[in-house]
């Protein structure tokens, strides 16, 4: 029985900013969400993703009951938890007996809560006896882990969010913070507005929206970061802008680095990086003369075959200038996932153990084994993500447990990943959304609780632990991740170690937290003094928080002491190495991948909300206009993009923010929304030798126009998720198909497809049936000679479904009519005319893009306002855009800058 509206304080489940949210609910259903004004990460702010959380998670996309497949090629059928987990325990036990502990593996996620992670780690290492437990954080932060550990001695970001506001010079490297960490970017924007003398340098091959805040943008060539940092250090040394006293007192290894960077002269570095010497000198001058210097970075450094070297070369700048451990200073990685930090803390990478310990360290293994009451922990090195899926593909891994992640979308070289999953004898997928690409391969599919339905803790980018609270029960049979893991572990231990006391007697997430926290005692991250009660009474806290502490630790290394063997930070001297795939004749473009503003990772959650597609309705490849001209392409043309590993077909779009010779495509697109295996069919599995993080940011590609004369367009409202599931397989056979959602008040399914030849009539009949266009108030026009057909369903004067087949020239015009609700005489005239283009249609295309998601303001409306001379403030006043979450403000500023420039140029 639903009760009156209640509010539960929890956290956002998307990025590592870790914003606090207030979930409005009735005890059964989530009704709304707002930023938590008391949470120190966001003080009430949310970005467009966080503010839409309550609109996501459609039950049609959720897993509700366990499903089991009893043989490859058979369909899965619904089962109960006892049967599901007994079956899994039996298969795992048989596999372990027959092939040994390293024949199974666990691939888990930065989305899990700390308690979930801890249960998985104990299961893999203490019960199963394997270090084959890795996480999707391997794709995200493992280079930062190596950078922190070897330069500073521990995987501990030393700063806090207030440092972002208090710094005099902020260097943002390889991060489109405006899209990826929007609430922190808002805090930076406000700080810059209050203290305009704060200098912001953005280093990114693309001119992203983050650059709109920058005093200096260095559009370096992809992968040249190490050369840039060494070049800056060269100038700092030459100009005397280093802190010799700090170097002597608190560091080691400077002389070797000094010898190395001597060769990184401004001329050489400007050449390697593709920037001017003037800009390089300006960057060094801003950094060297700033009273405080902070660096922020993300995937642009980490997702690289030199990721560890890039991290350490950046940290070198802080050590050389003594800019660490004080207000507004220090190296500060922006964590991608909401609890990637918790994963690192609990040992959820194959080379780690709980409490920031190393699996390769015998002393560390003994400490954890003693604590867990087992004889020993496995000595054999565990497989990292890329190695792990390769071992699945080669048949060495025979049982694979995947939790809360979607490797069939997110890993590089997707052809091989799909092959691996299809080959594996037993795949378990523990997942809240049964619509992900990976679920297709599950022999056992286990429904997991999701945001708002589970309890535990998360650590955000600034080491701050929040209590994640449950607002509503999980739907149907879905269970919390820790509970699934512990239940499976108990069944498995009855088979593997019968008669012995259970290692998994946990009955709540609190019980897991209480056991886990003591493993951190006396370690750098010591959180043994924390409890759920303290988090509830005192709010989120930053570790270390040792026993007896009364508050967390805002900043590390203020005393110049580092957790290394001799207490000194370690300079790392490594030369610049180019990315693995550089441009060459057959692959003349470098593909960079990144994020969309309103989507998250593989879109399993955000892809269930139509509103979140308004800003980027379809998958596109962005190229500089010069590259389009060179290849005789136009925006909107369908192109085949191919790398050494695979290909896919998407429309191309001209984009001045991408440098010539480069290309950009968002990382979110997978096979669910786009025919082919998605963006990552192109990306490469080459990885950093230390962090084993793959080089997702640099792939050599080539593009060519494809001729697919038969095109298709459809838009239909009602039963969106179920229609999607029914229609999606029918488009698999076409060369190009992009199925997404559209609209706000009237969520709709949007389909764009193309093919070399027209599909047969039965195919179209099936489609019309599923679109509801086979009967009722449907206007129809067919020209069989040209294989062209149009259908429009109008109900109560409103278009409710459209289908164009053969040619689709009117699709933008129709979409516009759909959005304005019009179904007038003009539409009827066009429909019955043989002309593809509606009469009176302007050749200038509307963008169809929603700029402000909160208040539904289109890009066209903003551009029209700018053309009338409105500035940012008057746009906000008149259109209300940018007045809520603020995520669209950088884009509005960019439009203002570009449109104003074009007016000046044309004057
Ligand atoms: Fe969520 Fe946005 Fe905050 Fe990240 S910045 S935690 S996505 S609300």
């Amino acid at each position: 029985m639903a009760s009156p509206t209640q509010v539960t304080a929890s956290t956002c489940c998307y990025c590592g900013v870790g914003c606090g949210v207030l979930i409005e609910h009735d005890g059964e259903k989530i009704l709304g969400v707002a930023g938590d004004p008391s949470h120190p990460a966001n003080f009430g702010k949310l970005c467009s993703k966080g503010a839409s959380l309550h609109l996501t998670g459609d039950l049609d996309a959720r897993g509700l009951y366990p499903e089991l497949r009893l043989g490859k090629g058979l369909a899965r059928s619904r089962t109960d938890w006892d049967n599901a987990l007994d079956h899994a325990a039996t298969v795992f036990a048989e596999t372990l007996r027959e092939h040994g502990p390293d024949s199974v593996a666990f691939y888990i996620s930065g989305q899990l809560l700390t308690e979930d992670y801890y249960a998985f780690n104990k299961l893999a290492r203490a019960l199963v006896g394997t270090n084959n437990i890795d996480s999707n954080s391997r794709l995200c932060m493992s280079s930062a882990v190596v950078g922190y550990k070897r330069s500073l001695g521990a995987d501990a970001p030393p700063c806090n969010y207030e440092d972002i506001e208090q710094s005099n010079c902020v260097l943002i490297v390889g991060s489109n913070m405006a899209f990826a960490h929007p609430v922190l970017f808002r805090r930076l924007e406000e700080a810059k507005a209050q203290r305009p003398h704060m200098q912001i340098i953005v280093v990114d091959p693309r001119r992203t929206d983050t650059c709109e805040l920058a005093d200096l943008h260095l559009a370096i060539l992809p992968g040249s970061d190490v050369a840039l940092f060494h070049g800056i250090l060269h100038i700092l040394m030459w100009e005397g802008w280093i802190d010799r006293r700090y170097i002597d007192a608190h560091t080691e290894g400077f002389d070797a680095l000094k010898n190395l960077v001597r060769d990184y002269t401004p001329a050489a570095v400007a050449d390697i990086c593709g920037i001017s010497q003037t800009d390089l000198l300006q960057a060094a001058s801003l950094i060297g003369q700033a009273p405080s210097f902070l660096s922020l970075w993300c995937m642009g450094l980490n997702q690289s075959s030199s990721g560890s070297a890039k991290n350490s070369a950046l940290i070198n700048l802080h050590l050389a200038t003594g800019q660490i451990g004080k207000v507004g200073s220090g190296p500060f990685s922006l964590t991608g996932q909401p609890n990637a930090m918790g994963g690192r803390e609990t040992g959820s990478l194959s080379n780690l153990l709980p409490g920031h310990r190393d699996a390769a360290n015998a002393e560390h293994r003994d400490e954890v084994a003693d604590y867990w009451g087992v004889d020993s922990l496995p000595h054999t090195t565990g497989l990292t993500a890329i190695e792990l899926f390769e071992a699945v593909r080669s048949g060495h891994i025979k049982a694979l447990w995947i939790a809360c992640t979607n490797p069939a979308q997110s890993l590089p070289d997707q052809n091989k990943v799909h092959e691996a999953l299809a080959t594996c004898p037993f795949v378990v997928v523990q997942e809240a959304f049964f619509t992900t690409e990976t679920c297709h391969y599950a022999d056992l599919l286990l429904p997991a609780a999701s945001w708002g339905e589970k309890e535990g803790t998360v650590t955000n980018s600034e080491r701050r632990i929040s209590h994640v609270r449950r607002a509503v029960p999980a739907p149907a049979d879905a269970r919390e991740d820790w509970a699934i893991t512990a239940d499976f572990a108990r069944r498995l231990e009855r088979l593997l170690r019968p008669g012995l006391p259970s290692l998994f007697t946990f009955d709540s997430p609190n019980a897991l937290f209480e056991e886990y926290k003591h493993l951190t005692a006396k370690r750098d991250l010591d959180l043994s003094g924390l409890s759920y009660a303290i988090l509830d009474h005192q709010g989120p806290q930053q570790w270390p928080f040792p026993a007896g502490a009364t508050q967390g630790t805002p900043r590390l290394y203020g005393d110049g002491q580092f957790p290394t063997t001799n207490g000194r930070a370690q300079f790392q001297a490594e030369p610049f190495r180019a990315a693995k795939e550089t441009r060459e004749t057959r692959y003349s473009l470098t593909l960079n991948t990144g994020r969309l503003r309103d989507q998250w990772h593989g879109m399993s959650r955000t892809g269930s909300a139509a509103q979140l597609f308004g800003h980027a309705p379809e998958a596109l490849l962005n190229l500089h206009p010069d590259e389009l001209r060179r290849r005789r392409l136009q925006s909107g043309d369908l192109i085949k993009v191919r790398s050494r590993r695979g290909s896919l077909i998407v429309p191309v779009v001209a984009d001045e923010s991408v440098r010539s010779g480069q290309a950009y495509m968002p990382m979110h697109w997978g096979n669910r929304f786009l025919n082919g295996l998605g963006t990552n069919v192109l990306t490469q599995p080459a990885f950093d030798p230390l962090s084993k993080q793959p080089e997702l940011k640099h792939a050599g590609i080539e593009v060519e126009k494809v001729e697919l004369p038969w095109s298709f367009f459809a838009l239909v409202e009602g039963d969106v998720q179920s229609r999607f599931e029914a229609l999606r397989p029918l488009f698999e056979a076409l060369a190009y198909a992009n199925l997404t959602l559209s609209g706000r008040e009237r969520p709709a399914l949007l389909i764009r497809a193309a093919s070399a030849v027209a599909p047969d009539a039965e195919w179209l009949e099936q489609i019309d049936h599923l679109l509801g266009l086979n009967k009722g108030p449907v206007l129809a026009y067919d020209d069989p000679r040209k294989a062209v057909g149009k259908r429009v369903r109008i109900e109560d004067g409103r278009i409710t479904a459209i289908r164009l087949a053969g040619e689709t020239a009117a699709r933008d015009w129709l979409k516009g009519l759909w959005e304005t609700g019009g179904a007038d005489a003009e539409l009827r005239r066009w429909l019955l005319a043989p002309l593809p283009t509606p009469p009176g249609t302007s050749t200038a295309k509307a963008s169809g893009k929603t700029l402000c998601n909160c208040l539904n303001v289109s890009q066209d409306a903003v551009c029209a306002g700018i053309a009338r001379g409105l500035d940012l403030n008057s746009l906000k006043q008149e259109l209300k855009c940018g007045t809520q979450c603020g995520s669209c403000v950088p884009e509005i500023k960019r439009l203002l800058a570009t449109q104003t420039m074009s007016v000046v140029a044309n004057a």
Side-chain angles (χ1 to χ4, degrees):
M1 168 79 67
S3 52
T5 302
Q6 305 159 46
V7 172
T8 300
S10 195
T11 60
C12 173
C13 61
Y14 292 124
C15 84
V17 178
C19 296
V21 297
L22 298 175
I23 305 174
E24 196 184 307
H25 60 98
D26 61 7
E28 285 186 356
K29 278 207 183 81
I30 292 174
L31 306 170
V33 67
D36 182 349
S38 69
H39 198 290
N42 57 319
F43 297 108
K45 292 184 176 65
L46 290 179
C47 74
S48 51
K49 292 184 285 285
S52 314
L53 268 166
H54 60 299
L55 304 174
T56 58
D58 191 324
L59 276 188
D60 284 342
R62 292 291 304 274
L64 302 177
Y65 304 97
E67 292 179 12
L68 178 62
R69 184 193 341 259
L70 288 171
K72 294 287 182 195
L74 301 176
R76 280 190 306 263
S77 54
R78 178 175 160 178
T79 186
D80 60 29
W81 279 106
D82 278 338
N83 192 36
L85 294 183
D86 279 342
H87 180 82
T90 304
V91 175
F92 266 70
E94 282 170 2
T95 308
L96 294 171
R97 279 193 203 106
E98 208 170 316
H99 304 285
D102 290 336
S103 64
V104 307
F106 299 86
Y107 187 62
I108 59 178
S109 165
Q111 307 278 310
L112 290 172
L113 306 184
T114 295
E115 293 72 6
D116 306 325
Y117 279 129
Y118 183 69
F120 266 114
N121 267 278
K122 197 170 181 186
L123 162 66
R125 304 187 202 262
L127 177 59
V128 171
T130 183
N131 283 320
N132 286 344
I133 172 166
D134 213 47
S135 153
N136 58 14
S137 300
R138 182 71 64 185
L139 314 182
C140 178
M141 298 307 295
S142 54
S143 294
V145 174
V146 172
Y148 283 130
K149 281 173 77 170
R150 65 181 189 158
S151 293
L152 306 179
D155 176 19
C159 312
N160 66 58
Y161 291 164
E162 285 178 10
D163 288 322
I164 296 175
E165 293 160 333
Q166 292 170 345
S167 184
N168 293 94
C169 178
V170 178
L171 175 70
I172 304 171
V173 195
S175 159
N176 185 8
M177 195 180 168
F179 279 18
H181 298 92
V183 166
L184 274 190
F185 192 69
R186 291 292 88 70
R187 289 179 68 164
L188 182 64
E189 275 178 333
E190 281 169 21
K192 172 84 173 161
Q194 281 169 15
R195 296 191 302 116
H197 59 275
M198 168 196 259
Q199 296 294 305
I200 298 175
I201 308 165
V202 176
V203 179
D204 197 310
R206 266 193 316 143
R207 186 166 181 88
T208 64
D209 280 9
T210 301
C211 300
E212 295 313 310
L213 200 60
D215 298 285
L216 176 65
H217 172 214
L218 301 178
I220 61 168
L221 292 172
S224 60
D225 312 70
V226 169
L228 176 72
F229 302 145
H230 287 348
I232 290 174
L233 184 56
H234 178 106
I235 299 164
L236 296 179
M237 284 171 14
W238 184 260
E239 296 290 343
W241 288 329
I242 58 171
D243 185 342
R244 196 70 235 193
R245 191 204 56 79
Y246 190 90
I247 294 168
D248 292 343
H250 302 298
T251 70
E252 195 170 71
F254 187 65
D255 288 343
L257 179 62
K258 201 168 72 179
N259 286 337
L260 176 77
V261 303
R262 195 167 286 138
D263 294 338
Y264 289 79
T265 61
V269 169
D271 188 44
I272 295 171
C273 296
I275 57 174
S276 71
Q277 285 193 55
T278 311
D279 283 352
L280 175 63
L281 290 164
Q282 193 192 345
S285 163
L286 292 175
I287 291 168
Q289 300 194 77
S292 56
F293 160 51
L294 183 88
S295 59
L296 302 168
W297 74 95
C298 199
M299 297 310 130
L301 290 199
N302 296 342
Q303 290 180 335
S304 159
S305 57
S306 304
S308 301
K310 289 179 179 179
N311 273 265
S312 287
L314 178 58
I315 296 173
N316 285 343
L317 296 182
H318 289 276
L319 297 175
T321 52
Q323 295 281 16
I324 184 168
K326 54 184 199 176
V327 174
S329 301
F332 195 3
S333 54
L334 298 173
T335 318
Q337 302 197 72
N339 197 27
M341 288 281 287
R344 289 143 68 176
E345 292 154 25
T346 50
S348 300
L349 291 171
S350 59
N351 53 312
L352 303 178
L353 288 176
H356 280 178
R357 290 178 174 85
D358 292 320
N361 182 317
E363 208 177 306
H364 287 179
R365 286 199 303 270
D366 289 346
E367 286 167 6
V368 179
D370 283 352
Y371 186 74
W372 281 343
V374 295
D375 292 341
S376 63
L377 295 188
H379 297 201
T380 324
T381 313
L383 298 170
T384 62
I386 301 296
E387 299 164 327
L388 191 154
F389 277 84
E390 192 48 41
V392 173
R393 197 170 75 96
S394 63
H396 290 99
I397 300 290
K398 296 171 194 310
L400 174 64
W401 193 296
I402 298 166
C404 200
T405 183
N406 187 14
Q409 185 279 329
S410 56
L411 283 168
D413 202 1
Q414 278 292 312
N415 274 315
K416 287 196 177 145
V417 176
H418 282 252
E419 202 184 308
L421 288 165
T423 305
C424 188
F426 188 56
V427 178
V428 182
V429 179
Q430 178 175 323
E431 174 60 61
F433 294 89
F434 278 11
T435 47
T436 73
E437 288 84 349
T438 304
C439 289
H440 171 75
Y441 295 98
D443 299 295
L444 178 62
L445 201 43
L446 302 174
S450 188
W451 174 78
E453 303 160 358
K454 54 192 289 196
E455 186 186 17
T457 52
V458 290
T459 312
N460 72 3
S461 295
E462 58 167 354
R463 295 173 282 106
R464 191 180 295 280
I465 299 179
S466 295
H467 188 184
V468 177
R469 298 180 188 87
R470 184 190 308 112
V472 295
D477 280 4
R479 297 172 73 184
E480 294 183 65
D481 287 284
W482 71 266
I484 299 171
T485 311
D487 191 350
F488 166 72
R490 284 190 290 270
R491 290 167 202 259
L492 184 62
E493 64 186 348
R494 284 200 286 273
L495 299 175
L496 296 181
R497 50 199 303 271
L500 290 175
S502 174
L503 301 170
F504 297 88
T505 53
F506 314 108
D507 58 359
S508 67
N510 190 36
L512 283 145
F513 184 83
E514 286 298 315
E515 180 177 306
Y516 156 65
K517 74 180 189 185
H518 296 297
L519 267 172
T520 67
K522 309 245 179 325
R523 306 282 307 161
D524 68 286
L525 75 167
D526 192 341
L527 49 95
S528 59
L530 269 182
S531 64
Y532 282 13
I534 289 175
L535 293 173
D536 290 345
H537 289 128
Q538 291 178 226
Q541 297 294 322
Q542 288 179 278
W543 59 252
F545 195 112
T550 53
Q551 58 181 32
T553 312
R555 202 169 282 110
L556 304 178
Y557 313 137
D559 57 1
Q561 285 298 302
F562 293 88
T564 53
T565 43
N566 60 6
R568 287 170 175 268
Q570 304 290 310
F571 282 106
Q572 302 293 327
E574 286 164 316
F576 157 71
R577 288 197 174 84
K580 283 276 185 288
E581 290 190 352
T582 47
R583 291 172 63 199
E584 50 146 289
T585 318
R586 285 183 59 229
Y587 299 99
S588 65
L589 297 162
T590 298
L591 175 69
N592 185 2
T593 60
R595 293 166 200 264
L596 292 168
R597 191 192 71 191
D598 295 346
Q599 294 293 345
W600 180 251
H601 282 190
M603 299 157 82
S604 48
R605 174 178 279 282
T606 50
S608 67
Q611 182 170 335
L612 292 176
F613 284 96
H615 188 243
E618 61 184 340
L620 300 168
L621 184 93
N622 299 46
L623 281 184
H624 191 274
D626 288 347
E627 293 293 349
L628 262 66
R629 269 192 292 277
R630 205 166 291 144
R631 292 169 165 78
R632 299 202 167 122
L633 292 169
Q634 293 194 332
S635 272
D637 282 351
L638 285 172
I639 51 162
K640 183 172 195 173
V641 191
R642 61 181 167 77
S643 75
R644 290 170 178 83
R645 291 154 292 278
S647 64
L648 79 167
I649 293 174
V650 284
V652 68
V653 64
D655 182 354
E656 299 261 5
S657 72
V658 179
R659 278 178 74 163
S660 209
Q662 298 173 26
Y664 172 75
M665 190 166 172
M667 44 85 88
H668 309 284
W669 302 105
N671 175 251
R672 178 164 170 75
F673 297 101
L674 181 68
N675 267 9
L677 299 184
T679 309
N680 284 317
V681 78
L682 305 166
T683 54
Q684 57 164 326
F687 52 67
D688 178 272
L690 299 175
S691 70
K692 309 281 181 89
Q693 181 159 353
E695 192 155 61
L696 285 152
K697 288 283 185 184
H698 313 283
I701 60 161
E702 194 47 87
V703 301
E704 62 188 301
K705 188 170 179 178
V706 286
E707 297 297 342
L708 299 173
W710 187 88
S711 57
F712 179 94
F713 171 77
L715 196 54
V716 59
E717 70 176 46
D719 297 329
V720 168
Q721 288 292 343
S722 50
R723 275 208 169 98
F724 187 106
E725 302 310 328
L727 282 158
R728 181 68 188 91
L730 294 172
F731 285 86
E732 206 52 62
L734 303 191
Y736 165 71
N738 198 170
L739 288 83
T740 59
L741 311 185
S742 176
R744 297 167 68 87
E745 282 77 29
R746 301 167 58 204
L749 173 59
L750 174 67
I751 307 173
R752 191 184 160 192
S755 172
V757 291
D760 57 32
E762 287 91 311
W763 183 88
L764 206 51
E765 272 171 32
Q766 243 183 312
I767 300 285
D768 282 348
H769 175 72
L770 292 168
L771 291 171
L773 286 166
N774 57 333
K775 58 180 185 216
V778 175
L779 300 176
Y781 170 85
D782 286 302
D783 181 345
R785 278 179 310 118
K786 294 184 180 160
V788 166
K790 313 173 195 175
R791 297 284 183 281
V792 179
R793 185 181 180 96
I794 300 175
E795 292 172 279
D796 300 327
R798 234 182 48 197
I799 307 173
T800 57
I802 303 169
R803 183 271 283 169
L804 307 179
E807 65 77 30
T808 57
R811 66 169 189 264
D812 293 333
W813 175 71
L814 281 166
K815 194 157 176 277
L817 279 187
W818 172 284
E819 274 150 19
T820 53
D824 53 15
E826 196 182 7
L827 170 71
R828 287 166 197 268
R829 271 201 306 279
W830 162 78
L831 190 84
L832 299 173
L835 292 172
T837 312
T841 306
S842 160
T843 47
K845 277 188 189 168
S847 78
K849 176 173 172 177
T850 308
L851 209 62
C852 172
N853 216 335
C854 302
L855 292 151
N856 195 21
V857 182
S858 70
Q859 177 167 307
D860 300 322
V862 171
C863 289
I866 295 170
R868 284 188 287 116
L870 300 185
D871 63 7
L872 180 61
N873 282 336
S874 20
L875 284 166
K876 282 183 173 179
Q877 266 176 9
E878 194 171 302
L879 302 174
K880 306 290 177 235
C881 53
T883 55
Q884 254 182 37
C885 82
S887 296
C888 60
V889 170
E891 203 165 345
I892 298 173
K893 283 186 184 165
R894 183 159 52 78
L895 287 172
L896 274 163
T898 48
Q899 290 213 8
T900 309
M901 270 168 58
S902 75
V903 169
V904 171
N906 293 331

